[in-house]
Amino acid sequence: MSKTILEAKGLRYSLGDRLLLDAGRLAVCEDERIGLIGENGAGKTTLLRILAGELMPDEGTVRRLCPIAMIHQQGNADAGGDGETRAVFRTQEDREGLSGGEMTRNRISGALSARPGLLLADEPTTDLDREGQALLRRRLDGFEGAILLVSHDRALLRRICTRIWYLEDGTVADFPGGYDEFMAERLRQRERAAFEYSQYRAEQKRLQESAQRMAERAAQVRKAPSRMGNSEARLHKREWTDSVLQLSHAKRTIQNRMEHLEPKEKPRALPDIRMKLGVSHPVEARDALTVQCEALAAGGKTLLRDTSFVLPAGSRTALCGPNGCGKTTLLRALTDHAGDAVEFRGSIRFNPAVRIGWFDQHHESTLDPEKSILENILRDSEHPEHFARTVMACLGIAGDSVFKPVKLLSGGEKAKAALGRLLLMDCNLLMLDEPTNHLDLFTMEELEKLLAGYGGTLLFVSHDEEFIRKVSTRLILFEGEGLKTCEGGWDEMKKPAPKDRTAEDRRLAASRLEMQMAALAARMSAPRKGDRPEELQAEYMRLAEEIRSLKSGQ
């Protein structure tokens, strides 16, 4: 039986007059891999901080029976940790001028170097490039301890987690199984709840109609006419009384059944909005934007030199590259948000019909923190309030929540408010910098559908591979100090390039692979904690096949 390394009982935590957490017993056992899922503002980060001891609950206790470390989703971090981990994640000593991904690497390195028995990870892939995500996945795969993970990276949740905690309305539901099993079960529960609600409403309507009919029939029973004889009147009165009593009894029986009918809550569902963005004022020309870049530099560092690209009207383009290469800097230069520290030389030519919408990964720069969500999203909107509120409901902010001041929102709620404001503007060219950062999984899937059907032109930065694959139709890749356009989207880019190796190259590559096989053989003979024998065996066979191909000259 697995040993419990963390136990929480009776946790309650309020934020103002809102009860954010009301959890019963939570337990984490050694070596477990748990994914914590919930909508933005549900309290995922709050729960992690309480479990880590960084925040005190209003009620309840937490027993920590092992060392705990936490990867925070935000904030600066020194390049702490042991030398080996710092080298793997290429952490930066100087915190000034670091990109979001470089700061994330620092936070990951510091937490992993602590060698905790329980790792709490709050959106650890935020801003990480493909290499950083691959490094993190490998480290979490081989982590010798338990993991409690909050992430919008569906690929990471699928790969790591074997158990799901779902946080909703303050309570935590425990689902055995991985992410896909959880989503399938959640869909089944929603469908069952919708069916039960429809049955409840149908039965409620039937009983109400029956009660109404009984009342109408009772009112239609005639009393004895005044000209009727005494004996006839007594007989009619007795029949009338019996009929009224029977109908009244039937009506009371129906009313009693109505009172004891088990009520069913109407399942919460997103409004069905059929809107096509970016088509009110389309760009009729072939290209929406043409850029000739002689040089792009930030903080004295040259990021791009002698390169160019175009955005065809109606295209959806993902801007991809490693952390620190200049993706955000380029977007800000294009939208005139770069600041004095950035130098751009060259030409930026927008089609005259273009209307730009800009989404900054630092949402505070586009929102007024003192005003409400509704005031912010209506500021530049041409749509009426009722439509704006329906759009926000689609993004997971419904009802009176739109009146909350921005300064009281969680990171994910701020992202939704900034996105809602942008969607309600009359734009036909959207430039989005990490639009999925801090979004919950459910909202992110809705955003994917919306942007995949966008009628205008789209240029965005994202490190979420699934999001890029579903939304983009083409890629612009940072390669050294240049840009390379890849038509056809993510799947086309992922196709392996043809190999053209000399005999010496093949010999050196085979030698390196043989060294990796030797290290794998040692691990297979003496597995470490967390190793999966079947995966080690599969990797060993893959390396053997690659060596065979190299030596045969293929």
Side-chain angles (χ1 to χ4, degrees), residues 40-199:
N40 291 128
K44 301 185 295 294
T45 296
T46 299
L47 177 57
L48 286 189
R49 293 187 62 202
I50 289 174
L51 297 180
E54 297 179 359
L55 191 64
M56 290 298 297
D58 300 330
E59 298 178 22
T61 59
V62 180
R63 286 199 310 142
R64 304 173 188 89
L65 306 176
C66 71
I68 294 176
M70 182 166 173
I71 303 173
H72 293 85
Q73 65 169 292
Q74 291 180 318
N76 292 328
D78 294 321
D82 62 77
E84 187 266 341
T85 305
R86 288 170 55 188
V88 167
F89 283 94
R90 299 203 312 274
T91 58
Q92 305 292 321
E93 295 288 349
D94 187 0
R95 290 189 297 177
E96 293 298 323
L98 295 185
S99 70
E102 288 167 332
M103 287 189 285
T104 299
R105 287 170 179 261
N106 281 9
R107 293 194 293 268
I108 292 172
S109 175
L112 289 178
S113 296
R115 301 291 190 271
L118 171 59
L119 178 67
L120 307 179
D122 192 6
E123 300 287 6
T125 60
T126 299
D127 297 323
L128 279 184
D129 56 20
R130 291 170 57 198
E131 180 200 29
Q133 292 176 25
L135 285 172
L136 178 65
R137 285 194 293 266
R138 289 198 292 270
R139 282 303 174 111
L140 294 184
D141 272 342
F143 181 73
E144 297 184 1
I147 298 172
L148 179 55
L149 171 68
V150 173
S151 181
H152 63 256
D153 186 331
R154 287 156 288 185
L156 183 63
L157 288 168
R158 290 187 181 104
R159 175 164 175 164
I160 296 297
C161 300
T162 56
R163 180 179 169 195
I164 298 294
W165 285 357
Y166 180 47
L167 178 56
E168 183 180 36
D169 297 330
T171 62
V172 179
D174 194 347
F175 287 81
Y179 172 75
D180 288 332
E181 290 84 358
F182 159 74
M183 292 299 288
E185 177 60 24
R186 182 173 179 269
L187 178 61
R188 283 194 293 270
Q189 289 185 1
R190 291 175 70 91
E191 291 174 344
R192 184 164 57 248
F195 173 76
E196 290 177 351
Y197 179 75
S198 67
Q199 294 292 99

Side-chain angles (χ1 to χ4, degrees), residues 40 227 293 322 362 386 407 414 436 438 480 529 539 543:
N40 291 128
R227 63 180 182 274
C293 177
H362 304 292
H386 73 272
K407 63 184 178 183
K414 288 178 182 176
T436 62
H438 313 303
K529 191 174 184 181
E539 177 66 8
L543 291 174

Side-chain angles (χ1 to χ4, degrees), residues 287 309-312 315-318 472-477 484-495:
D287 297 329
F309 69 92
V310 297
L311 291 184
S315 63
R316 301 191 302 274
T317 306
S472 68
T473 57
R474 60 200 297 274
L475 308 176
I476 295 178
L477 311 175
K484 174 186 175 183
T485 300
C486 180
E487 303 291 348
W490 183 263
D491 291 335
E492 187 69 23
M493 187 271 290
K494 290 290 287 183
K495 288 182 180 179

Side-chain angles (χ1 to χ4, degrees), residues 316 448 451-452 458 460 466-473:
R316 301 191 302 274
E448 283 174 351
L451 294 181
L458 179 64
F460 67 96
E466 190 163 344
F467 184 82
I468 294 172
R469 181 171 54 81
K470 290 182 176 179
V471 173
S472 68
T473 57

Side-chain angles (χ1 to χ4, degrees), residues 216-260:
E216 291 172 355
R217 288 173 60 185
Q220 292 170 357
V221 176
R222 297 178 58 188
K223 294 184 178 181
S226 58
R227 63 180 182 274
M228 186 178 287
N230 291 336
S231 60
E232 290 179 307
R234 284 195 297 272
L235 178 61
H236 185 91
K237 182 177 181 181
R238 187 164 56 248
E239 292 175 347
W240 175 84
T241 302
D242 290 343
S243 297
V244 170
L245 287 174
Q246 289 174 2
L247 290 170
S248 297
H249 176 71
K251 181 181 177 182
R252 286 196 301 273
T253 300
I254 293 172
Q255 289 174 334
N256 186 57
R257 289 179 62 185
M258 288 176 61
E259 291 172 0
H260 289 83

Side-chain angles (χ1 to χ4, degrees), residues 408-443:
L408 298 182
L409 303 181
S410 69
E413 290 171 319
K414 288 178 182 176
K416 291 179 180 180
L419 282 168
R421 175 177 173 271
L422 181 64
L423 297 179
L424 291 164
M425 294 167 63
D426 186 18
C427 304
N428 56 22
L429 170 56
L430 298 184
M431 293 194 178
L432 313 178
D433 191 13
E434 297 287 2
T436 62
N437 273 5
H438 313 303
L439 288 185
D440 61 63
L441 292 162
F442 317 116
T443 303

